[in-house]
Amino acid sequence: MRILLVGAGGVGDAFAKIAARRSFFECVVVTDFDITRAERTIAWLTERHGAAAIAGRFVADSIDASDPGSVAAVAQRHSITHVMNAVEPKFVPTIFAGAAAAGANYLDMAMSLSKSHPTSPYSLTGVTLGEEQFAVTAEWEAANRLALVGIGVEPGLSNVFARYAADHLFSHIDELGTRDGANLVVRDANGEEIFAPSFSIWTTIEECLNPPVIWEKDKGWFTTEPFSEPEVFVFPEGIGPVECVNVEHEEVLMMPRWLDAQRVTFKYGLGNEFIGILKTLHQLGLDSVTPVKVRTADGPAMVAPRDVVAACLPDPASIGPRMTGKTCAGMWVTGTGKDGQPREVYLYHVSDNEWTMAEYEAQCVVWQTALNPVIALELLATGAWSGAGVVGPEFFDAEPFLTLMARPEAEGGYGQAWGLEDRLAN
Amino acid sequence: MRILLVGAGGVGDAFAKIAARRSFFECVVVTDFDITRAERTIAWLTERHGAAAIAGRFVADSIDASDPGSVAAVAQRHSITHVMNAVEPKFVPTIFAGAAAAGANYLDMAMSLSKSHPTSPYSLTGVTLGEEQFAVTAEWEAANRLALVGIGVEPGLSNVFARYAADHLFSHIDELGTRDGANLVVRDANGEEIFAPSFSIWTTIEECLNPPVIWEKDKGWFTTEPFSEPEVFVFPEGIGPVECVNVEHEEVLMMPRWLDAQRVTFKYGLGNEFIGILKTLHQLGLDSVTPVKVRTADGPAMVAPRDVVAACLPDPASIGPRMTGKTCAGMWVTGTGKDGQPREVYLYHVSDNEWTMAEYEAQCVVWQTALNPVIALELLATGAWSGAGVVGPEFFDAEPFLTLMARPEAEGGYGQAWGLEDRLAN
């Protein structure tokens, strides 16, 4: 297996660091529009593991993710078998096309972007997340190539949990509800708590202010107003109760294709403070990407308000050392258990920032995202997972994934325990 | 009396419209950096009152308010007796100096700006509002010229109310508390409520995020954190309860110089929503006036985040026709009445946007501000008020002001009733 990693930002860097401890592949070509970022990642790996372990297994190259021709050329130059997309979702179409042109398999962690319904954005779907990718599944099947889409943590691990629940825990599923929450805190140099989102504010605004999508068996996909159906979800391992709201996310567009449920939802534990901030930005028009005319010392400039918001906040990639707390990704499932009794479970994985910083010098949210495609590639390399077409993680048997993930590192696994909470009293 | 009106923005325009109904002056020279704004005001006056009533009494000129030499030259050219400052407070020092250089009297509605204490901004005052102006009172006295500072509505009418309470209602004052609140609502073309502050967001941010100042007889002036001492104040004439917080304002720096009280405060009825928005802007650094680097289609630009916030909101001068509701300015006084019994009163004036738009095509907040300097100039013209030095409205007897203000227009007054609420239940 020869992997082309597209993007050496936070998630790409963490992917390389996690992969460096594994031996299932021949080579990872670490690429970026700015090759010095790729070289920095490889320098870190060399420093940590020694030149003998890294040289030849990890090589740097530059790439233009916005150009399918560039992606295909880099893939062919390095005889790539698997293209691993680790950049912003706006580059999905070009990397996806480049991988196809190069005859390589493809993986990503976020899918092609949505477009709101032109007249009823808050009740009807327009173009949905991933729709453009699922549309060409027949071509990928015919070419006997695999596009494993949405294999980060959410989507990704959440979908694996959903498949596990369907196979092993439930005879009938009412709701597959991805629930994501954290208790992360970032402090400034004086130890004061500051507002510093752990993920790109640009993407977070996009995600949170787009109309959230819900799937119901008798209705299909439909949308709501942003921040709909707030609920307080209690997260495990000390994170505790967090206010969660519906957010547009891939899982809702993926799971109904392979799994049987009455309802599929995604709720993000933004918390009241963050929800309030996003609402205020929207109310003031500061979420807008349409440039406005602003006076500057050099005369008027046309700037997108959302870019100004991003420019005022700390770079999410830089806040790891000043952050404490845990992030939890998981799947809340309700329905009827194998025994015919009502059942409610929460399947989850928690990532602790202190641990990911100490072990990988990676912030916990990006590290948790990067973990899952490494595991998936290992399952594809060993043949535990195989297939063709454009598919999500729930297409595959969840058991080998969760087993390899939880097995201690000393025994060849990833040493990442996952949890199962039965939530109905007795 | 020959008046130089500096600034034909919202307040300057309303000043001219109110003055046009009076006959106490010989001429108002309406000036602006952009003379077309002054000409537009005079065109409106001519349209409303006829050329015979306006020609010669109102003339347009251009001025550079940032240059004392320009202010003095325009004043001398028109043989000005009174310079009326109606622009942003940052121009106070230059207009004040220009008036002095021209040998004219001076009035303003906001005073020279403050500078926070360098090390303890939230407990100690630095340079206070108006400090630079009060510092030269001896020079103005020696020249036998009057600088009547802070004669808008707040400061202005609030100070007149305070003097009235001290002279006529109380034998001992515990607190002189200016309280300002409104129930103004702005709607978009579809009738949906929108967020559109009735005053410059730039100035509002400055005012609300500066450390608020309080005066106590045994402590003198001191500052607090922004938004301190929240209280729900019930405003009259249907406005009702509004959340008010301490805000830095001139009254607190003015009243203790002439009036005897145990405590002087200013609280602004921002309401919870607006307070939340201002806190969020501050938390995200979007209130900052320090430019940040932002990507644009034409390459990186350096823009002040606060300018972007202002650019995203509707121009306050434009929202009058889409606004409904009332604004209330007033003085809440507690202490011992003339009869030796505890007393608590609220002296106030309410301005209704529908009425000010219909009568003056002026938004109620700017109209209410502009009303008071016209009345004051009339009292100075008739000799009912006279004096020298740098003084606030509370320096003068309040009775003639409030009488002239409340007297019906048909009887030579301004037809603006003011209210007195006794608030202690007996």
Side-chain angles (χ1 to χ4, degrees):
Chain A
M1 176 178 282
R2 297 180 62 83
I3 301 164
L4 169 57
L5 176 66
V6 184
V11 177
D13 178 70
F15 176 96
K17 289 169 172 175
I18 296 166
R21 297 194 186 184
R22 314 300 299 181
S23 56
F24 64 85
F25 56 89
E26 189 182 324
C27 179
V28 177
V29 181
V30 183
T31 66
D32 201 280
F33 188 73
D34 173 3
I35 195 174
T36 65
R37 284 155 57 107
E39 290 168 343
R40 191 168 56 206
T41 291
I42 293 175
W44 189 95
L45 299 178
T46 305
E47 163 91 21
R48 175 69 63 108
H49 297 286
I54 300 304
R57 286 187 76 220
F58 287 86
V59 298
D61 208 339
S62 63
I63 202 164
D64 180 356
S66 70
D67 175 11
S70 170
V71 174
V74 177
Q76 284 162 340
R77 180 156 74 239
H78 295 279
S79 307
I80 292 303
T81 60
H82 293 76
V83 173
M84 177 75 242
N85 174 355
V87 292
E88 291 170 57
K90 70 174 172 179
F91 297 111
V92 162
T94 46
I95 301 173
F96 188 56
N105 300 288
Y106 169 88
L107 298 88
D108 65 29
M109 293 170 272
M111 300 187 65
S112 58
L113 292 171
S114 64
K115 289 193 190 77
S116 288
H117 189 278
T119 54
S120 303
Y122 301 126
S123 57
L124 304 178
T125 58
V127 177
T128 56
L129 288 171
E131 184 170 334
E132 295 163 12
Q133 292 177 279
F134 287 126
V136 295
T137 187
E139 294 169 34
W140 283 73
E141 276 173 31
N144 197 30
R145 281 198 312 276
L146 175 69
L148 170 48
V149 292
I151 182 65
V153 61
E154 284 172 351
L157 181 56
S158 45
N159 307 54
V160 171
F161 283 141
R163 171 71 185 259
Y164 183 83
D167 285 354
H168 299 282
L169 308 178
F170 287 81
S171 58
H172 170 90
I173 292 178
D174 288 328
E175 179 161 349
L176 289 171
T178 310
R179 295 293 184 271
D180 179 293
N183 64 355
L184 299 169
V185 169
V186 180
R187 293 176 195 279
D188 66 14
N190 303 318
E192 298 279 330
E193 264 189 48
I194 59 170
F195 179 72
S198 53
F199 225 77
S200 153
I201 189 77
W202 210 101
T203 306
T204 305
I205 289 173
E206 181 76 18
E207 202 165 76
C208 295
L209 295 179
N210 275 352
V213 60
I214 294 172
W215 188 83
E216 289 181 3
K217 198 165 190 173
D218 58 351
K219 250 179 113 170
W221 286 295
F222 62 96
T223 57
T224 73
E225 297 270 351
F227 310 114
S228 60
E229 300 180 2
E231 72 178 43
V232 173
F233 192 85
V234 180
F235 290 90
E237 298 199 18
I239 295 173
V242 182
E243 178 100 358
C244 295
V245 291
N246 282 320
V247 164
E248 181 195 47
H249 229 254
E250 287 88 344
E251 286 91 327
V252 178
L253 288 313
M254 299 170 79
M255 293 175 184
R257 296 173 194 270
W258 292 283
L259 304 176
D260 188 31
Q262 300 301 304
R263 192 168 206 261
V264 182
T265 58
F266 180 95
K267 289 191 182 177
Y268 192 15
L270 289 166
N272 283 326
E273 186 195 9
F274 203 177
I275 292 170
I277 287 171
L278 290 169
K279 284 183 175 176
T280 297
L281 291 174
H282 183 58
Q283 191 182 10
L284 272 58
L286 292 167
D287 60 318
S288 171
V289 294
T290 305
V292 295
K293 191 172 178 176
V294 180
R295 62 181 177 187
T296 81
D298 305 317
M302 296 297 295
V303 298
R306 195 190 291 182
D307 289 337
V308 177
V309 174
C312 286
L313 292 174
D315 178 359
S318 74
I319 59 175
R322 296 183 282 150
M323 189 159 80
T324 55
K326 298 172 179 175
T327 187
C328 177
M331 173 56 55
W332 173 73
V333 191
T334 62
T336 308
K338 295 289 186 193
D339 60 359
Q341 296 300 307
R343 194 169 191 191
E344 177 183 336
V345 302
Y346 185 57
L347 295 154
Y348 65 90
H349 176 258
V350 168
S351 179
D352 183 326
N353 192 65
E354 276 183 85
W355 184 86
T356 63
M357 285 302 295
E359 282 278 314
Y360 289 93
E361 258 184 71
Q363 188 245 67
C364 63
V365 177
V366 300
W367 185 87
Q368 192 186 37
T369 303
L371 170 67
N372 302 285
V374 182
I375 299 174
L377 282 161
E378 181 156 347
L379 295 175
L380 293 169
T382 61
W385 278 7
S386 66
V390 180
V391 304
E394 58 276 77
F395 174 80
F396 300 104
D397 185 3
E399 208 281 328
F401 187 104
L402 294 174
T403 300
L404 181 60
M405 175 177 162
R407 189 183 300 147
E409 282 196 88
E411 297 166 27
Y414 285 74
Q416 288 296 311
W418 52 276
L420 186 162
E421 262 184 24
D422 257 302
R423 293 209 163 187
L424 287 189
N426 6 331
Chain B
M1 176 179 282
R2 297 180 61 83
I3 301 164
L4 168 57
L5 176 65
V6 184
V11 177
D13 178 71
F15 175 95
K17 289 169 172 175
I18 296 165
R21 297 195 186 184
R22 314 299 300 181
S23 56
F24 64 85
F25 57 89
E26 190 183 322
C27 180
V28 177
V29 181
V30 183
T31 66
D32 201 280
F33 188 74
D34 172 4
I35 195 173
T36 64
R37 285 154 57 106
E39 290 167 344
R40 190 168 57 207
T41 291
I42 293 175
W44 188 95
L45 299 179
T46 305
E47 162 91 21
R48 175 67 63 109
H49 297 285
I54 301 303
R57 285 187 77 220
F58 287 85
V59 298
D61 208 339
S62 63
I63 202 164
D64 180 355
S66 69
D67 174 10
S70 169
V71 174
V74 178
Q76 284 163 340
R77 180 155 74 239
H78 295 280
S79 307
I80 292 303
T81 60
H82 293 76
V83 173
M84 177 75 242
N85 174 355
V87 293
E88 292 170 54
K90 70 174 172 179
F91 297 112
V92 162
T94 46
I95 301 173
F96 188 57
N105 300 288
Y106 169 89
L107 297 88
D108 65 30
M109 292 170 272
M111 300 186 65
S112 57
L113 293 171
S114 64
K115 288 194 191 76
S116 289
H117 190 277
T119 55
S120 303
Y122 301 125
S123 57
L124 303 178
T125 57
V127 177
T128 56
L129 288 171
E131 184 170 334
E132 294 163 11
Q133 292 177 278
F134 288 126
V136 296
T137 187
E139 294 168 33
W140 283 74
E141 278 172 30
N144 197 31
R145 281 198 312 276
L146 175 69
L148 171 47
V149 292
I151 182 66
V153 61
E154 284 172 350
L157 181 55
S158 46
N159 307 54
V160 171
F161 283 140
R163 171 69 185 262
Y164 183 82
D167 285 356
H168 300 281
L169 307 178
F170 287 80
S171 58
H172 171 91
I173 292 177
D174 289 327
E175 179 161 350
L176 289 170
T178 309
R179 295 292 184 272
D180 179 292
N183 64 354
L184 300 170
V185 169
V186 180
R187 293 176 196 280
D188 65 16
N190 302 319
E192 298 279 330
E193 265 190 47
I194 58 171
F195 179 72
S198 53
F199 224 76
S200 152
I201 189 77
W202 210 101
T203 306
T204 305
I205 289 173
E206 180 76 18
E207 202 165 77
C208 294
L209 295 178
N210 275 352
V213 60
I214 294 172
W215 187 83
E216 289 181 3
K217 198 164 191 173
D218 59 352
K219 251 179 111 170
W221 285 296
F222 61 94
T223 58
T224 72
E225 298 270 351
F227 310 114
S228 60
E229 300 180 2
E231 71 178 45
V232 174
F233 192 85
V234 180
F235 289 91
E237 297 199 18
I239 296 173
V242 181
E243 178 100 359
C244 295
V245 291
N246 283 319
V247 163
E248 182 194 46
H249 229 254
E250 287 88 342
E251 287 91 329
V252 178
L253 288 311
M254 299 169 79
M255 293 175 184
R257 296 174 195 269
W258 292 283
L259 304 176
D260 188 31
Q262 300 301 304
R263 191 168 208 261
V264 183
T265 58
F266 180 95
K267 289 191 183 177
Y268 193 13
L270 289 167
N272 283 327
E273 185 195 10
F274 202 178
I275 292 171
I277 286 170
L278 290 168
K279 284 183 175 175
T280 297
L281 291 174
H282 183 57
Q283 192 182 7
L284 272 59
L286 291 167
D287 60 318
S288 171
V289 295
T290 306
V292 295
K293 191 172 177 175
V294 180
R295 62 181 176 186
T296 81
D298 304 316
M302 297 297 294
V303 299
R306 195 190 292 182
D307 289 337
V308 178
V309 174
C312 287
L313 292 174
D315 177 359
S318 74
I319 59 175
R322 296 184 283 153
M323 188 161 80
T324 55
K326 298 172 178 176
T327 186
C328 177
M331 172 56 55
W332 172 73
V333 191
T334 63
T336 308
K338 295 290 188 192
D339 60 359
Q341 296 300 308
R343 193 168 192 191
E344 177 184 335
V345 302
Y346 184 58
L347 296 154
Y348 64 90
H349 176 257
V350 167
S351 179
D352 183 325
N353 191 67
E354 277 183 84
W355 184 86
T356 63
M357 285 302 295
E359 282 277 315
Y360 289 92
E361 258 184 72
Q363 187 245 67
C364 64
V365 177
V366 300
W367 185 88
Q368 192 186 38
T369 304
L371 170 67
N372 302 285
V374 183
I375 300 174
L377 283 161
E378 180 156 348
L379 295 175
L380 293 169
T382 62
W385 278 8
S386 65
V390 180
V391 304
E394 59 276 78
F395 173 80
F396 300 104
D397 185 1
E399 208 280 329
F401 187 104
L402 293 174
T403 301
L404 181 60
M405 175 177 161
R407 188 184 299 148
E409 282 198 87
E411 297 166 27
Y414 284 75
Q416 288 296 311
W418 52 275
L420 186 161
E421 263 184 23
D422 257 301
R423 293 209 164 186
L424 285 190
N426 21 326

